[in-house]
Amino acid sequence: MNFVFTPPATVSVPVAGSTERFPVHRIYCVGRNYEDHAKEMGFTGREPPFFFMKPADAIVAVEAGGIGSMPYPSLTKNLHHEIELVVAIGTGGKNILAADAHKHIYGYAVGLDMTRRDLQNEMKKQGRPWCIGKAFDHSAPIGPITPTALAGDVTNAEIYLQVGGQDRQRSNLSKLIWNIGETIEHLSAAWKLQPGDLIYTGTPEGVAAVVTGDTLVGGVTGLGTLTVKII
Ligand code: MN
């Protein structure tokens, strides 16, 4: 087939303990999925799940033991970190029941839903889409994907983020308002999930600003750490 220009390369994420890579299809994100984060954003934490998306090429894939680089984005004066468990879909499907969701999961990773908070807040106030606050270039750093069989029990794992060695966020995946199965059930009712889809499952409380030169180290027990420097 002849294209009018060279098609973009497939975005991919390393797989822990393997030379194979996980090709990325779509990036779905869950909003306000921890009660204490919903409250810090001015909500009750009792609402149904809702979703937004980032483009696949917003991924900043960081190798195991590596340090990723994220350029400080344009237009913002308030770039926030949101540490999140990322679910990687290996088998697609529509209308997946929560009880069957595990059959569709390839693995898990540690991710950052980086956010231009000032722009997101302005869009919220005006009732406009969040894209400019959430779906910008380099907004989705992610570490290697650990296949489910090697990941241990992520449903009761600690999740944390440190900036400059100081704790910013620390919680537990057991505090997700909508757990992984319920999230996949809701999401797959709205979109047909495909192999290669990533789901950023939401962030716990403690979101705050980072500046150029900061080093972010995040982790989920059993999934290793993700290190990203803001340049
Ligand atoms: Mn988020």
Side-chain angles (χ1 to χ4, degrees):
M1 193 184 301
N2 291 319
F3 295 103
V4 296
F5 54 83
T6 305
T10 299
V11 175
S12 66
V13 177
V15 173
S18 171
T19 56
E20 294 185 322
R21 296 181 70 90
F22 180 93
V24 178
H25 178 244
R26 291 179 181 168
I27 305 173
Y28 296 100
C29 302
V30 188
R32 296 175 213 136
N33 204 14
Y34 291 79
E35 187 176 348
D36 287 344
H37 172 62
K39 285 178 178 167
E40 77 181 350
M41 300 304 288
F43 298 87
T44 65
R46 299 285 178 211
E47 55 186 8
F50 68 93
F51 305 100
F52 59 92
M53 294 173 78
K54 293 179 188 256
D57 64 358
I59 286 286
V60 177
V62 182
E63 308 298 315
I67 301 176
S69 293
M70 178 187 175
Y72 195 94
S74 60
L75 303 181
T76 185
K77 293 186 172 65
N78 197 18
L79 175 66
H80 271 203
H81 55 74
E82 296 192 358
I83 191 71
E84 309 200 359
L85 171 74
V86 181
V87 176
I89 297 295
T91 304
K94 259 182 101 169
N95 298 315
I96 298 165
L97 297 176
D100 294 326
H102 62 280
K103 299 174 190 165
H104 297 264
I105 300 173
Y106 173 80
Y108 304 98
V110 181
L112 280 162
D113 166 17
M114 298 302 291
T115 303
R116 293 193 281 208
R117 191 72 73 199
D118 42 358
L119 300 185
Q120 183 201 22
N121 287 343
E122 186 58 30
M123 292 301 110
K124 274 187 198 173
K125 205 188 308 172
Q126 297 186 27
R128 291 178 178 173
W130 289 8
C131 304
I132 200 167
K134 286 288 195 181
F136 54 95
D137 296 346
H138 313 288
S139 62
I142 187 170
I145 294 171
T146 301
T148 49
L150 305 174
D153 179 17
V154 296
T155 64
N156 194 26
E158 192 173 40
I159 182 170
Y160 69 92
L161 180 78
Q162 297 183 324
V163 178
Q166 300 293 310
D167 261 24
R168 289 278 186 92
Q169 297 184 268
R170 189 170 291 275
S171 187
N172 192 287
L173 271 302
S174 63
K175 294 187 177 172
L176 281 172
I177 296 170
W178 302 95
N179 67 30
I180 294 164
E182 292 166 338
T183 295
I184 288 173
E185 180 169 321
H186 279 96
L187 190 58
S188 68
W191 290 273
K192 181 181 180 184
L193 294 184
Q194 302 281 356
D197 286 342
L198 297 175
I199 307 168
Y200 280 61
T201 56
T203 197
E205 67 278 13
V207 299
V210 289
V211 297
T212 301
D214 279 346
T215 298
L216 291 65
V217 179
V220 171
T221 309
L223 302 182
T225 58
L226 167 65
T227 302
V228 175
K229 184 167 184 179
I230 309 296
I231 60 172

